[in-house]
């Protein structure tokens, strides 16, 4: 469920430089098929990955975690996650400067049934910029 | 003893050969031998002597390691003898056919052109193993061991690798041999055979003193005791008639053919590649080894046209540009270049050539009969296209004969390049083998299992990620197995990927998807379909090993959550 827009100050992808990003809070309730809790999306990226191959990022040196696929009808889609979103936080933990495996582990903790993400997307940024200009 | 169940020749022909041996008839030749035949005969005699020596050694040695080595030498000698005999037979037949009339060699320079020979070198051979969990966890105590080696044959040249002892602590069988085959054509077939012998407890008993062994065998159960006693009796038997090809008197470990494959020019690459193995034995077989089904190696080829000069002589070259005068040079055609030196001696002194003309498969060569400048006959022109520009060099030879020789050499080079294909793009390096290190120093092999970090969580995704990362897989379209995470609740069992992925062309044993070179950086093939990754059974995860991630990131992995 979308709980509203929030402007937050996040750690940036340029080390040492804080940046302002428009983020959206997405709360996903995990689906529990059998013994696995499923969120229903895929991630790409990480500080140990090659950022130039990221098709979603505007800045090709951005080593953040991006949503690469959202399962149709899955919990992530229902909660409003979109393909191309960049995930900034998972349940309060920062994931802008983590390895791919660390990000995945944060998302797949067995004990957690809900995962609260802070995501940002270019359409959000543009919408806020336009509303600030007008 | 050896058993080669893939060859059609069995005991029937062998006994005929024995008779030939005894009569000494194989040395007689009814026709006068050309020099190659005497060379082959000499090699055959040498192998026969080696074989007699190996039989004697086998009868004499008592240690198991020596027995294994001697049995291996015997098997290699036998293979070589059979191969040389076959070759001699073929040559004699060809001689007979040749004398009854040769085909008329057609007119023209392009008739009956044969490609140049080359050197083929195979090295860094590695065969991954796939042990079942029962081997690791439940099989405490007795360690099954195997002795394995590879036999490689190209034409009539047979070479073998060292023998390696394998047990369940090894994840791969790595051979440190560099095997060089000279005299290979571009249509070569390099046959690779893996032989293995299982070292059972009977081997240990055969080494024990006879009285103790008899006591032990009689105290065993009836059927196993009978088996052991039979093997001991045959070990003690006399080494009768070493001339017989299969020597029933020689006991000890039996080598069985475990797997084979054939490599051709298509497999040649200046890098490490994986090829499929055809497994020749199944689980019930006594010497069965759990092979993963692939062999990795570095197979390179050096055609002679690339390493040796194919033509040389005096030429006059028209200088490019405004000045139309002709310079006299000494031209040497070697590999994909025509080097033009100032003096003929410069080739030896290592001086740089005046200039170099590239000759590759896109080069156009024309004998300049058409636009002859007056007083300058016998010219040929060589044109290369560099992007937009076309660069033409005009060369003048001394005489018509010289012109024809140069054209012939160039045509032969073009033919060789078309036959040897990728080997003529650049010279592939053949390394001379370094001094052999002791096997213990090579324990740190690059292997799939050493580079996996598997968390205590039963995380199938972690395993497949690591595999995908090693391969640099770009999962731009959804691989079929991702569907399992999204839609189906259960963790995948090892056999289910075969059912989920319908679009596969080769049916593999045990329903495994195809894996590629586990250690190499794959070549950049953006046009190929995305590859599947081999999921390992989930209960392998408790074996966490040290993490070893190295190198700059070349992948952009995607994981489902």
């Amino acid at each position: 469920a979308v709980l509203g827009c929030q402007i937050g100050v996040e750690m940036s992808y340029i080390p040492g430089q804080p940046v302002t990003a428009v983020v959206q809070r997405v709360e996903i309730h995990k689906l529990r098929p059998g013994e696995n809790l499923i969120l229903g999306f895929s991630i790409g990226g990480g500080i140990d990955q090659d950022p130039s191959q990221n098709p979603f990022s505007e800045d090709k040196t951005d080593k953040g975690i991006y949503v690469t696929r959202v399962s149709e009808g899955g919990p992530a889609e229902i909660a409003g996650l979109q393909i191309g979103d960049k995930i900034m936080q998972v349940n309060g933990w920062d994931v802008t400067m983590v390895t791919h495996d660390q990000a995945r582990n944060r998302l797949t903790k067995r004990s957690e049934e809900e995962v609260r993400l802070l995501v940002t997307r270019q359409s959000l940024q543009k919408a806020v910029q336009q509303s600030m200009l007008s | 003893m050896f058993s080669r169940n893939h060859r059609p020749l069995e005991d029937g022909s062998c006994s005929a050969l024995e008779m030939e041996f005894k009569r000494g008839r194989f040395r007689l030749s009814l026709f006068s031998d050309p020099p190659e035949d005497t060379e082959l005969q000499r090699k055959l005699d040498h192998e026969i002597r080696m074989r007699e020596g190996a039989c004697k050694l086998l009868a004499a040695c008592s240690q198991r390691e020596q027995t294994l080595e001697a049995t291996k030498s015997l098997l290699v000698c036998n293979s070589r003898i059979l191969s040389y005999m076959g070759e001699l037979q073929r040559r004699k037949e060809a001689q007979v056919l040749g004398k009854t009339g040769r085909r008329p060699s057609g007119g023209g320079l392009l008739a009956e052109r044969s490609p140049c020979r080359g050197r083929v070198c195979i090295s860094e051979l590695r065969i991954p193993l796939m042990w079942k969990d029962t081997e690791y966890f439940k099989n405490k105590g007795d360690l099954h061991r195997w002795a394995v080696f590879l036999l490689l044959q190209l034409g009539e040249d047979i070479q073998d690798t060292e023998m390696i002892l394998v047990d369940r602590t090894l994840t791969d069988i790595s051979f440190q041999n560099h095997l060089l085959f000279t005299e290979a054509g571009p249509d070569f077939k390099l046959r690779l055979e893996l032989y293995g012998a299982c070292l059972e407890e009977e081997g240990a008993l055969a080494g024990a003193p006879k009285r103790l062994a008899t006591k032990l065998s009689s105290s065993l159960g009836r059927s196993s005791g009978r088996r052991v006693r039979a093997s001991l009796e045959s070990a003690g038997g006399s080494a009768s008639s070493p001339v017989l090809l299969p020597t029933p008197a020689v006991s000890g470990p039996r080598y069985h053919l475990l797997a084979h494959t054939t490599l051709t020019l298509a497999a040649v690459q200046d890098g490490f590649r994986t090829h499929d193995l055809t497994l020749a034995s199944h689980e019930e077989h006594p010497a069965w080894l759990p092979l993963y089904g692939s062999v990795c190696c570095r197979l390179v080829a050096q055609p002679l046209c690339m390493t040796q000069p194919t033509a040389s002589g005096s030429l006059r070259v028209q200088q490019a540009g405004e000045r139309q005068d002709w310079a006299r040079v000494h031209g040497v055609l070697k590999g994909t270049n025509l080097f033009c030196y100032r003096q003929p001696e410069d080739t030896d002194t290592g001086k740089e050539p005046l200039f170099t003309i590239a000759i590759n498969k896109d080069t156009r060569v024309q004998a300049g009969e058409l636009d002859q400048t007056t007083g300058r006959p016998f010219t040929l022109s060589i044109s290369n296209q560099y992007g937009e520009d076309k660069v033409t060099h005009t060369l003048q030879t001394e005489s018509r004969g010289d012109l024809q020789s140069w054209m012939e050499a160039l045509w032969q080079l073009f033919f060789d390049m078309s036959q040897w294909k990728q080997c003529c793009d650049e010279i592939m390096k053949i390394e001379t083998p370094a001094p052999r290190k002791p096997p213990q120093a090579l324990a740190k092999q690059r292997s799939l299992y050493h580079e996996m970090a598997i968390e205590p969580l039963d995380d199938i995704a972690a395993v497949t990620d690591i595999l995908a990362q090693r391969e640099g897989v770009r999962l731009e379209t959804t691989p079929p197995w991702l569907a399992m995470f999204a839609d189906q609740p259960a963790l995948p069992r090892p056999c289910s990927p075969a059912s989920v992925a319908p679009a596969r062309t080769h049916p593999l044993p045990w329903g495994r998807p195809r894996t590629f070179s586990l250690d190499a950086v794959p070549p950049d093939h953006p046009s190929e379909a995305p590859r599947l990754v081999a999921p390992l059974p989930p209960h392998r995860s408790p074996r966490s090993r040290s993490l070893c991630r190295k190198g700059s990131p070349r992948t952009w992995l995607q994981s489902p959550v």
Side-chain angles (χ1 to χ4, degrees):
Chain A
V2 172
L3 295 186
C5 282
Q6 174 180 336
I7 297 186
V9 176
E10 307 291 343
M11 271 180 62
S12 74
Y13 48 84
I14 302 164
Q17 299 279 329
V19 79
T20 306
V22 181
V23 291
Q24 175 164 338
R25 189 171 280 174
V26 174
E27 188 171 303
I28 308 178
H29 296 264
K30 284 186 183 174
L31 189 63
R32 186 189 272 273
E35 282 309 304
N36 292 327
L37 306 182
I38 293 291
L39 291 167
F41 66 99
S42 298
I43 54 164
I47 55 176
D48 59 337
Q49 303 292 313
D50 178 9
S52 63
Q53 296 180 41
N54 184 345
F56 304 109
S57 56
E58 210 173 75
D59 177 355
K60 291 302 172 193
T61 62
D62 180 4
K63 293 191 171 183
I65 305 291
Y66 281 77
V67 175
T68 60
R69 190 188 72 98
V70 180
S71 294
E72 223 173 272
E77 189 188 49
I78 293 170
L81 194 66
Q82 292 179 18
I83 187 171
D85 287 353
K86 176 177 172 181
I87 305 180
M88 314 290 275
Q89 277 186 15
V90 175
N91 282 344
W93 293 96
D94 168 77
V95 289
T96 58
M97 288 291 253
V98 294
T99 64
H100 186 87
D101 288 344
Q102 284 170 343
R104 201 195 52 239
N105 288 339
R106 294 239 189 279
L107 286 161
T108 53
K109 295 258 184 260
R110 272 195 178 172
S111 49
E112 296 162 357
E113 289 213 17
E114 278 164 12
V115 172
R116 292 181 188 82
L117 308 179
L118 278 184
V119 304
T120 181
R121 57 179 81 105
Q122 288 168 22
S123 54
L124 266 182
Q125 304 261 69
K126 290 198 178 82
V128 172
Q129 277 167 8
Q130 280 176 0
S131 70
M132 277 165 46
L133 289 172
S134 61
Chain B
M1 271 196 74
F2 69 99
S3 143
R4 303 185 81 202
N5 37 14
H6 68 291
R7 287 274 175 90
L9 311 169
E10 276 305 329
D11 296 342
S13 59
C14 285
S15 57
L17 283 169
E18 291 162 31
M19 297 309 289
E20 291 289 294
F21 269 138
K22 287 192 178 146
R23 291 197 214 116
R25 277 206 44 198
F26 228 91
R27 309 222 174 179
L28 281 181
S29 57
L30 302 175
F31 303 97
S32 60
D33 284 335
E36 314 90 49
D37 274 9
T38 45
E39 169 72 20
L40 196 57
Q41 187 72 57
R42 196 184 59 79
K43 286 203 274 195
L44 183 61
D45 293 342
H46 174 74
E47 287 303 320
I48 293 173
R49 277 199 300 277
M50 293 276 291
R51 188 172 167 274
E52 287 168 9
C55 287
K56 290 198 182 95
L57 182 63
L58 193 56
C61 63
S62 54
Q63 295 243 344
R64 191 168 58 180
E65 293 263 338
Q66 288 176 351
T67 315
L68 287 169
E69 287 286 350
T71 315
K72 169 173 164 266
S73 310
L74 190 60
L75 199 155
V76 175
C77 287
N78 285 335
S79 311
R80 287 191 176 134
I81 289 171
L82 282 172
S83 153
Y84 292 153
M85 282 180 178
E87 180 64 22
L88 271 177
Q89 195 76 28
R90 265 193 301 277
R91 288 194 188 169
K92 296 230 188 296
E93 283 170 10
Q95 246 184 341
V96 171
L97 289 173
K99 282 196 191 304
T100 58
R102 304 189 71 85
R103 325 176 266 234
S105 56
L109 290 151
L110 290 175
E112 305 302 338
R113 194 181 287 280
S114 60
C116 66
R117 302 286 100 184
R119 304 200 303 160
V120 172
C121 177
I122 187 167
S123 60
E124 298 176 46
L125 286 151
R126 188 159 63 82
I127 297 179
L129 300 169
M130 193 166 88
W131 300 101
K132 289 199 274 201
D133 296 340
T134 48
E135 278 287 329
Y136 281 119
F137 299 117
K138 297 189 186 150
N139 227 351
K140 301 187 172 53
D142 59 343
L143 190 74
H144 289 292
R145 301 181 82 196
W146 287 261
V148 297
F149 69 95
L150 278 172
L151 200 65
L152 291 107
Q153 178 167 13
L154 196 152
E156 78 220 21
D157 194 359
I158 292 182
Q159 300 196 30
D160 60 319
T161 62
E162 57 189 345
M163 183 196 68
I164 290 190
L165 293 172
V166 174
D167 55 42
R168 66 170 180 262
T169 63
L170 281 186
T171 55
D172 307 75
I173 312 174
S174 290
F175 296 98
Q176 301 305 316
N177 305 84
H178 285 253
L179 298 176
L180 182 65
F181 296 91
T182 55
E183 300 304 308
D187 53 349
F188 70 85
K189 287 190 175 18
L190 178 60
R191 187 172 161 94
L192 204 143
E193 290 174 348
L194 179 70
Y195 286 92
C198 192
L199 309 179
E200 292 289 0
E201 298 306 310
E202 293 158 300
L205 281 178
K210 195 144 174 37
R211 233 181 337 140
L212 177 63
T214 327
K215 213 181 262 189
L216 280 171
S217 66
S218 58
S219 66
L220 290 171
R222 218 173 346 138
S223 59
S224 53
R226 210 182 299 139
R227 228 182 338 133
V228 169
R229 217 172 297 125
S231 74
L232 285 173
E233 275 162 16
S234 59
S238 60
S240 62
S241 182
V243 183
L244 292 172
L245 266 181
T247 48
V250 175
S251 85
R254 277 176 71 121
Y255 281 103
H256 299 270
L257 178 68
L258 296 177
H260 64 92
T261 185
T262 305
L263 301 172
T264 59
L265 188 67
V268 170
Q269 187 183 309
D270 200 353
F272 198 60
R273 273 183 76 169
T274 307
H275 310 275
D276 286 332
L277 270 180
T278 313
L279 302 176
S281 59
H282 52 89
E283 204 162 331
E284 309 305 317
H285 201 273
W288 182 79
L289 195 61
L291 299 168
Y292 194 68
S294 317
V295 55
C296 314
C297 64
R298 183 171 176 268
L299 182 65
V300 297
Q302 263 183 7
L304 284 175
C305 63
M306 296 294 289
T307 52
Q308 288 178 9
T310 45
S312 61
S314 171
L315 291 168
R316 270 187 221 270
V317 184
Q318 185 175 38
Q319 305 280 51
E322 313 84 28
R323 297 169 41 184
Q324 292 283 311
D325 46 333
W326 297 73
R328 179 183 278 277
V329 294
H330 180 80
V332 175
L333 181 62
K334 182 166 139 181
T336 52
N337 290 304
L338 175 61
F339 301 102
C340 296
Y341 294 94
R342 200 187 297 274
Q343 308 276 356
E345 300 78 41
D346 288 350
T347 51
D348 300 322
T349 55
K351 269 212 185 125
E352 289 292 317
L354 265 183
F355 56 91
T356 305
I357 304 174
I359 314 259
N360 50 43
K361 49 189 191 299
D362 299 323
T363 309
R364 301 267 172 272
V365 173
Q366 211 173 6
E369 299 287 349
L370 300 173
D371 50 343
Q372 297 277 355
T373 54
T374 46
R376 299 272 182 205
F378 318 128
T379 57
L380 61 94
S381 67
I382 301 176
S383 310
N384 278 310
Q385 193 86 20
Y386 295 108
E388 295 291 324
D389 310 310
K390 182 173 167 175
V391 178
T392 303
H393 294 270
T394 313
L395 307 160
Q396 186 198 14
T397 59
E398 301 284 322
S399 64
R400 188 180 299 281
D402 274 0
L403 178 63
Q404 288 218 332
S405 308
W406 277 101
M407 293 304 288
E408 169 65 25
L410 286 165
W411 277 328
Q412 178 69 38
L413 180 64
F414 285 135
F415 182 70
D416 289 338
M417 288 201 284
S418 72
Q419 294 292 300
W420 282 99
K421 301 195 180 93
Q422 73 269 26
C423 307
C424 289
D425 293 336
E426 259 187 36
I427 298 184
M428 296 186 187
K429 262 206 318 181
I430 289 184
E431 293 152 5
T432 46
R436 301 241 318 219
K437 303 180 202 135
Q440 282 74 25
L442 304 165
K444 295 284 170 270
Q445 296 292 340
R446 297 172 303 163
S447 162
L448 175 63
Y449 299 108
H450 290 295
E451 290 197 29
M452 292 220 290
I454 305 172
E455 314 267 324
L457 308 171
D458 218 351
D459 207 351
I460 186 83
V463 168
T464 51
D465 285 346
I466 289 159
L467 283 171
Q469 205 166 29
R470 287 171 60 98
E471 297 181 23
V473 171
R474 297 195 60 186
L475 303 173
E476 293 194 83
T477 67
T478 325
W481 55 262
L482 275 184
M484 291 193 281
F485 290 94
D487 304 327
Q488 290 166 22
L491 265 181
R493 302 244 118 234
C495 52
S496 58
S499 56
V500 172
R504 199 143 9 90
T505 49
H506 318 282
L508 289 163
W510 314 312
R512 270 184 301 113
R514 187 185 176 95
T515 53
F516 290 87
S517 180
L518 300 176
D519 267 323
V521 176
D524 207 2
H525 289 312
S527 56
E528 290 182 4
R531 309 226 183 270
L532 289 178
V533 200
L536 295 177
H539 43 277
R540 230 180 236 287
S541 48
R543 312 199 67 231
S544 44
R545 301 253 189 137
S546 59
L547 173 62
C548 186
R549 292 277 168 85
K550 36 190 188 262
S552 63
R554 293 190 194 90
T555 60
W556 198 74
L557 226 59
Q558 298 177 38
S559 313
V561 293

